[in-house]
Structure formats: structure tokens, C-alpha cells
Amino acid sequence: MNLVAQQSGCVHPSSWRTMWQAGALWLASVGIVVTASLAQDRLEEHVAQWLAQEHLQTAHVGWLFVELESGRVVLERDSGKLFVPASTTKLFSVAAALDTLGADYRFRTPVVRRGSVNDAGELDGDLILVASGDLTLGGRSTASGEIAWRDVDHTYANWSNDAELTDEDPLAGLDDLARQVAAAGIRTVRGDVLIDDRLFQPTTGSGSGPQRVTPILVNDNVIDVTFTATQPQQPALVRWRPQTGWIEIQTEVQTTEPGGTLETWLQWASPRRLVVRGKLPAGHKPLVRIAEVPDPVLFARALFMEALRRHGVTVLAPLAEAPSPTRLPPREEIARLPQVAQLVSPPFSENARLILKVSHNLHASTLPLLVAAHHGEQTLAEGLRRQRDFLIRAGVAAADTLSFGGGAGGARADHVTPRATVELLQAMARRPDFAVFERALPVLGVDGTLSKAVAPDSPARGKVQAKTGTLTWENLLWGRTLCTSKALAGYLTTAQGKRLAFAAFINGVHLKDGIDTARLGRDLGRLCELVHVHR
């Protein structure tokens, strides 16, 4: 009966159910496609409106948003073109350093002695602190073993009134070493105290802030000066750290009427004499400024000598008299000398977090040289070539489109494509240490350089982990500033739970008529909101 019915064109009830279910699935799939298409149309419409803003009409703008799981392109504009990356360069520098050193790597800074120690604890020779390239040298280490940071780092204090100091003692690492020297039985150093800074060749950084890139860093090799207003027409309160007899500081800072002009000047009158002048309106919040020390080696030597004396170790060498560079023995000889102290840093994952969260230019500039030193090399060029090799191994197919002149993002040679940047982000997402890399990134609307990029009620707040970039040059023709680059690259979670890797660049915007770098940062935050909501 069933056979006859089927042959005569009738359909069994069970077959009807199958056909209905298939049709329902087809209609649902069509609905999904239509819905996705409409969402894409709405996204592109909103992005077009965003791009039509007047201040972006002169700009070179490009981006690439890609689903991490499928690799499907969500949004693309000129992804193969070169853009100035600014501090998104640090993504590449940190990635290469993580690959070379490892997230668990710890800097080990030893102090060795040259000469014998008698029963009275007298060292008939020198103490030598061997610089390891430790980026914080114990000066930001917390009790929990992390590295402390603030959303606006002190190294940006001369460019931002929002810069803050961390609570940690910048001399804690040197005090630790001095304590160990005393515990080793040394009571008097009859020779000298020396700093071996030959791990790599010192160079100049490629971003704002301290510029001398050297293996020895104490408090980022700067003097922090904090200004606090008092009463009008009275001297302002001026404090500084670290305190040291190596440097004389002369202050001439006046508190002015509320709402008055804020002016600060910090200038070295000589290598050991800093002059601080300024005017601070009454009622103004405490203000931080920095002065980079002229000679990091002599600065570190003086601070270490003072730490030794604080811990009961007499140093006969005069603080003010610099030792001869020829006094240092060959490096192979230093490696054989007895060790009397050692400072061990937090894991490198903490350094990566500090660099990316606050966009630390000095530390990022040091990374290629640390990579070079790990391979027994000494120059920036050698370190960047090692970074190139890493990118090729990582599968960044567009690596040959990249150009870098440093590790921080301020070099004129620095150019990237959105595609190469996204390929790096995709490669990092496949690595076992991805959680370390992602944790190090600023979170949109929450912390670091992204803390104020969106409103507190933004739908994308907390949904983007990304590195910012800002680079400006003075336009002397018109007496204003040109934003060479505002950039953002990292990871985004959409409202539907999709994870994206993305890179977006805005190059060439005149900062005028109320448009500043903060506004451009909010523009990129808005772009992330659009992608988050409509994808």
C-alpha cells in the first residue's frame, strides 16, 4: 500500500515531517544569512558615517578586523598599505622578546668582588655591579611579586599633567643588593664601586621620555620632581626622588593665584646640578615632572655606594670622583669573580605588562637589545634582525612589508600594514603564552592608555584588549601640531561573542579646532564600539 501510494505521487506522513524540517532549516539558514548581511550593511553604513568626520578628510586611514577562529574578514580598508604605527610597534617588540626570553625569564643582576676579604671584613679591591638589563631593578616590585604601574607613567610626566608615581621605593633593589653585600661579611671596600654596563651597546630610544638606552636602569634613569602648591605668593613645596648626594637640586618654584598659568622648567646646569623653576597655581593638584640624568652609570654607582653605606658598608672611594673606565676587568674575567649578591627580578611577563599597559618607551626601546644580548650580540640592528627572524617563524606572511628603526614606535623608519599587524596578533593567539600577551594589553575603558577612550557606559567597555599608538610632530609652518599617527591594535569581543583580531590606523590629522590626540583616541574607541555592536 505504501509502495503504491508513493508511486502515484502521494507522500507518507513521516516524509512530510522530514520535508518540513528541511524546509524550516533552509528558511532559518536563509534568515541567518539575511540577518548577517543586514548587520554587515549597518556596520558599513555606520563606519562610513564615522569616516566622513571633517577632521579625517586629510587623513590616511586603514584597518583590518578578522575573526580569530575562522579567519573571516569582518571589516577591511587598505589593509595592505603602509601606515605609521606609533606605539603599536611595541606589540612586535614585546612578542619577539617573549619568544626569545620567555614569560618566566627573570633578570639576574649580580654583584661580584675583585680582591680578597680579611677577617675584619675589609675588601682589598673593588665591588662590581654587573648590569643585566633589568628594566626596573627592583624599584617597582610589589610584595606580591608583580611590577607596579599607573595608567599614566612617570616617564610621560613632561607631556602629561596626569602622570603619577608608583608607591614603591625606586632604590629598593639597590638596598637589597647592599644588604646582601653586608651579609656576605664585607664591612669595608678599600677599592672602588664599579658598574659594568657592557651587556649591549648603549643607544638612543625611539619614543618620548628618557632617551638613553643602557643596560643599567635605576628609576628609569630619571629624577622625579613633585610640585605641590601652597598659598599664593609663597614658595611651592618641591620634593624629588631618588634622594642622592650625587646631585644638587636648586628650586625656585612659586605658588601663584588660582587659575594662573602653570609653568615648569627643569634644566641641568652641570652634570650634577639640576635647576628647577616654575609657577604653580594655588589649588592645582600635585604635579610630577622628570629630568633624565646625564650619565646613568655614574648615577647608579652613586646610588649603590649610598645604599652600601646605609647598610653599614664603608666605601673609601669618593662619591664625586668618577672611576676610570679602564678599571673594569674584561667581561670574561668578571664572570669568574666571586659573587657576593644577586638581585632577581619578577618574571618577564610583568615587564611585558608594564610596557604595553603604559606604553613605556624606554623599556620597549631596550627590548631589541635584550634580544640581541641573549644571542651574544650587542647592537640594535642585530636585535631587530632577530625580531625579523621571529616574525618569519611565527608565520607573519606580510613580514616583508614591515619596517622598524627601533622598539618603541617613534623612529621615522617605523611603518606597518594592518594585515601584517593582524597576522602577528593571530600568531600570538596560537601560542601557549597567549594569556600572558593578552593580559599585558590595555583594556578599553578600564586601564592603561585605554582607560579614557570610551565612556563608562560604553557597550564595548572591557571588550577590547589592545595597544594604543600616538605620534605627533610640531607643524612649525602654522604653529600647531600634526598627529602623524593614532593607532589601535589588539583583540575585540563582539556582542555575539565572536573574538576578532584587529588593527586600525589614522595617519595625518591636523590638531586644531578642538581636535586633539584624546579625541582621535575616542574616535578609535567609537570604531571598536561599532564593530562590537554590529558584529
Side-chain angles (χ1 to χ4, degrees):
M1 182 176 178
N2 289 341
L3 179 60
V4 172
Q6 291 173 7
Q7 288 177 337
S8 62
C10 297
V11 180
H12 193 273
S14 63
S15 299
W16 277 111
R17 284 196 302 272
T18 302
M19 292 176 64
W20 182 86
Q21 290 169 347
L25 289 172
W26 178 81
L27 288 172
S29 65
V30 169
I32 291 171
V33 171
V34 170
T35 301
S37 178
L38 289 174
Q40 184 69 27
D41 290 344
R42 284 196 296 270
L43 173 60
E44 292 178 357
E45 178 183 349
H46 284 294
V47 169
Q49 294 172 357
W50 177 92
L51 193 57
Q53 297 178 91
E54 183 178 352
H55 61 276
L56 298 181
Q57 298 315 296
T58 60
H60 180 40
V61 182
W63 52 68
L64 180 62
F65 290 75
V66 174
E67 287 185 0
L68 268 180
E69 185 175 346
S70 67
R72 188 171 68 86
V73 173
V74 170
L75 200 65
E76 189 272 343
R77 175 187 171 91
D78 285 345
S79 65
K81 299 290 187 181
L82 284 171
F83 291 85
V84 177
S87 285
T88 57
T89 298
K90 295 178 176 72
L91 292 169
F92 294 85
S93 305
V94 168
L98 273 173
D99 181 73
T100 299
L101 303 177
D104 296 328
Y105 175 82
R106 295 175 187 264
F107 296 98
R108 299 180 185 274
T109 302
V111 175
V112 299
R113 63 173 173 84
R114 177 169 58 171
S116 59
V117 182
N118 63 22
D119 292 341
E122 298 172 328
L123 170 60
D124 185 23
D126 303 324
L127 274 183
I128 304 171
L129 187 156
V130 184
S132 66
D134 189 335
L135 300 172
T136 58
L137 204 65
R140 295 191 190 221
S141 298
T142 68
S144 63
E146 297 182 327
I147 291 178
W149 52 277
R150 295 287 184 266
D151 285 341
V152 182
D153 192 69
H154 75 142
T155 53
Y156 282 97
N158 292 352
W159 294 268
S160 173
N161 294 342
D162 295 325
E164 296 180 303
L165 304 179
T166 58
D167 296 332
E168 286 66 30
D169 180 2
L171 300 181
L174 292 179
D175 275 324
D176 189 349
L177 287 170
R179 192 178 299 111
Q180 292 181 54
V181 170
I186 296 176
R187 297 288 177 266
T188 303
V189 179
R190 294 197 168 278
D192 213 325
V193 173
L194 307 174
I195 306 293
D196 182 356
D197 67 334
R198 296 174 294 182
L199 180 68
F200 55 73
Q201 292 183 12
T203 185
T204 301
S206 62
S208 56
Q211 288 295 297
R212 296 176 182 85
V213 181
T214 168
I216 185 69
L217 295 98
V218 183
N219 196 44
D220 295 317
N221 293 335
V222 302
I223 300 292
D224 296 312
V225 181
T226 302
F227 303 81
T228 304
T230 56
Q231 297 300 314
Q233 312 312 317
Q234 295 297 315
L237 180 62
V238 182
R239 294 194 177 101
W240 58 87
R241 72 175 202 183
Q243 294 282 326
T244 172
W246 169 251
I247 294 170
E248 174 192 355
I249 298 183
Q250 175 187 337
T251 65
E252 300 173 13
V253 184
Q254 194 77 2
T255 304
T256 60
E257 296 297 327
T261 302
L262 170 65
E263 299 176 348
T264 57
W265 299 272
L266 285 77
Q267 185 173 9
W268 291 98
S270 72
R272 295 182 55 200
R273 182 167 171 263
L274 178 64
V275 178
V276 179
R277 297 189 177 96
K279 298 176 182 178
L280 188 64
H284 197 286
K285 67 179 182 179
L287 186 72
V288 179
R289 293 289 187 261
I290 62 169
E292 183 177 4
V293 298
D295 192 322
V297 169
L298 294 183
F299 180 58
R301 173 181 178 268
L303 293 172
F304 186 39
M305 290 173 71
E306 291 170 334
L308 288 165
R309 289 166 178 166
R310 283 196 298 273
H311 290 277
V313 179
T314 301
V315 180
L316 300 184
L319 190 72
E321 185 177 323
S324 169
T326 59
R327 191 175 180 95
L328 273 174
R331 296 192 71 199
E332 56 270 19
E333 180 181 330
I334 286 182
R336 296 192 295 268
L337 293 176
Q339 182 174 294
V340 294
Q342 180 177 242
L343 182 69
V344 181
S345 75
F348 181 72
S349 58
E350 286 296 304
N351 297 105
R353 186 168 69 136
L354 170 63
I355 292 169
L356 294 181
K357 287 286 189 184
V358 309
S359 201
H360 203 298
N361 287 317
L362 178 62
H363 295 181
S365 292
T366 310
L367 292 183
L369 288 152
L370 292 174
V371 169
H374 187 80
H375 292 281
E377 300 165 341
Q378 285 217 321
T379 69
L380 174 61
E382 289 168 324
L384 287 175
R385 284 195 290 270
R386 293 288 180 179
Q387 182 171 307
R388 175 201 63 196
D389 295 343
F390 155 71
L391 293 171
I392 293 170
R393 291 196 314 274
V396 178
D400 64 346
T401 65
L402 297 166
S403 173
F404 290 126
R412 293 185 182 273
D414 295 345
H415 281 76
V416 305
T417 63
R419 181 174 297 126
T421 307
V422 168
E423 287 177 351
L424 170 72
L425 294 165
Q426 290 172 309
M428 294 305 293
R430 294 189 293 266
R431 289 174 58 95
D433 57 5
F434 175 58
V436 170
F437 187 71
E438 185 180 36
R439 173 179 177 265
L441 294 168
V443 181
L444 185 65
V446 176
D447 65 17
T449 54
L450 279 177
S451 60
K452 298 179 181 179
V454 293
D457 60 351
S458 167
R461 182 179 184 272
K463 304 299 183 182
V464 177
Q465 299 80 37
K467 182 70 195 75
T468 57
T470 307
L471 185 63
T472 63
W473 295 102
E474 290 304 307
N475 178 352
L476 299 179
L477 181 68
W478 289 100
R480 62 189 185 218
T481 303
L482 176 72
C483 183
T484 308
S485 179
K486 192 67 182 177
L488 189 63
Y491 305 96
L492 180 153
T493 302
T494 71
Q496 288 73 39
K498 294 284 188 180
R499 289 281 283 161
L500 311 181
F502 75 95
F505 301 92
I506 302 173
N507 284 184
V509 177
H510 291 289
L511 302 185
K512 61 176 183 174
D513 302 329
I515 302 300
D516 57 14
T517 56
R519 166 60 188 274
L520 295 177
R522 292 193 295 273
D523 282 339
L524 288 173
R526 176 58 179 160
L527 180 62
C528 288
E529 287 177 335
L530 294 174
V531 176
H532 167 77
V533 169
H534 295 290
R535 295 304 304 176

